[in-house]
Amino acid sequence: MRIICTKDYEEMSLRVADLIAAQILLKPDSVLGLATGSTVAGAYDSLVERCRSGEVDFSKISTVNLDEYIGLAPDHVQSYRHYMNSHLFDHVNIDKSKTNVPSGVAAEPAEECRRYEQLIRDMGGIDLQLLGLGKTCHIGFNEPGERFETITHVVTLNEQTRKDNSRFFASIDEVPKKAVTMGIQTIMSAKTIVLAVNGEGKADALAAALQGDVKPSAPGSILQMHQNVIVVADKAALSKLA
Ligand code: F6R
């Protein structure tokens, strides 16, 4: 595991964008696993700029996102499909038909999970998976207690996570209670994982992920078992590492 310590969020975002840009240069038809949320937004801004300047070419890239809220249609402003379109896909030269986010409104969510997992396999697996980290130490929406061997499945969101994500909604009551998420096994199958973390509020979760016991009560700790993880975190997030 390699740890890149940055002075702040801006520098973290640039380093994450560097890694994704390098992946695209080395393999222009990469399958990128993407995340949503505040942590990764700055990296997407930087990738948009690099695409506009001709430095990065998304034309052969395919993507699969980690997760989606159940009950939110793709055009809902808080859906993760909407997030991806507005932060990245609408602004780069990607073929949108090669971008994938699980459906939050499938009639049969369990069937949607099977379809999505098979899709990732059919694409040949994920070359680089970008992750953020929840305060609960979740990765994707795999909350504490989730079995490590899960593939894409339906989860009930932890109350802490709903509270954390309520900042994007009018009230906590509007935050969906369930989501479809890639499982821990799906995530761990990616060839390279880039974990981005910033801020003091994530320091305990990051210490648990990087230095704690590897156990389902700290889902991020499984990353210690991956052969190719790059952690890009600011000083504040790394402040509780021994
Ligand atoms: C998002 C996702 C989550 C977030 C995590 C951190 O697709 O799967 O695991 O990465 O909750 O979210 P932020 O960056 O908003 O703190």
Side-chain angles (χ1 to χ4, degrees):
M1 180 180 289
R2 199 177 143 210
I3 301 178
I4 300 174
C5 175
T6 69
K7 64 176 187 304
D8 55 18
Y9 177 81
E10 282 66 37
E11 196 192 351
M12 178 201 71
S13 301
L14 294 177
R15 294 294 79 79
V16 169
D18 286 347
L19 294 169
I20 296 173
Q23 172 70 41
I24 296 174
L25 276 175
L26 290 170
K27 190 178 178 209
D29 61 348
S30 291
V31 177
L32 300 180
L34 298 177
T36 60
S38 309
T39 311
V40 294
Y44 293 151
D45 290 345
S46 174
L47 287 169
V48 168
E49 273 176 34
R50 293 172 202 221
C51 185
R52 283 188 179 141
S53 70
E55 193 190 319
V56 179
D57 175 13
F58 281 85
S59 62
K60 298 194 179 78
I61 291 294
S62 308
T63 67
V64 279
N65 260 78
L66 280 166
D67 39 22
E68 180 60 284
Y69 288 119
I70 289 190
L72 300 194
D75 59 353
H76 187 289
V77 72
Q78 294 308 341
S79 75
Y80 286 170
R81 163 53 79 179
H82 188 276
Y83 173 104
M84 289 312 304
N85 287 348
S86 59
H87 282 84
L88 186 65
F89 302 152
D90 284 344
H91 313 291
V92 295
N93 64 331
I94 199 162
D95 174 354
K96 269 224 191 128
S97 69
K98 294 200 291 194
T99 67
N100 300 281
V101 180
S103 170
V105 289
E108 295 287 347
E111 183 48 44
E112 172 60 6
C113 293
R114 278 190 287 277
R115 182 196 71 80
Y116 202 71
E117 189 70 25
Q118 189 59 46
L119 173 83
I120 295 170
R121 280 181 205 176
D122 293 346
M123 291 166 91
I126 298 167
D127 290 303
L128 182 152
Q129 176 66 55
L130 176 61
L131 296 177
L133 187 69
K135 279 190 190 153
T136 60
C137 204
H138 72 210
I139 49 175
F141 271 143
N142 295 284
E143 299 285 13
E146 195 68 71
R147 289 176 301 119
F148 283 153
E149 68 271 29
T150 50
I151 55 174
T152 304
H153 63 303
V154 173
V155 285
T156 299
L157 297 177
N158 183 296
E159 277 313 300
Q160 174 69 46
T161 296
R162 290 187 67 240
K163 203 170 131 208
D164 292 341
N165 291 2
S166 66
R167 67 190 191 277
F168 300 115
F169 293 81
S171 78
I172 192 163
D173 300 328
E174 286 183 21
V175 184
K177 296 203 160 97
K178 287 184 182 283
V180 172
T181 183
M182 281 185 201
I184 289 177
Q185 200 180 102
T186 324
I187 293 169
M188 289 294 282
S189 303
K191 295 183 187 85
T192 299
I193 295 179
V194 174
L195 174 69
V197 192
N198 75 287
E200 209 183 336
K202 300 279 180 72
D204 285 324
L206 188 57
L210 303 189
Q211 292 186 330
D213 294 341
V214 177
K215 54 186 182 190
S217 55
S221 66
I222 192 67
L223 297 174
Q224 295 176 40
M225 305 296 288
H226 196 281
Q227 297 302 309
N228 192 14
V229 178
I230 305 171
V231 180
V232 189
D234 69 0
K235 275 191 298 203
L238 287 165
S239 61
K240 299 224 169 135
L241 252 67

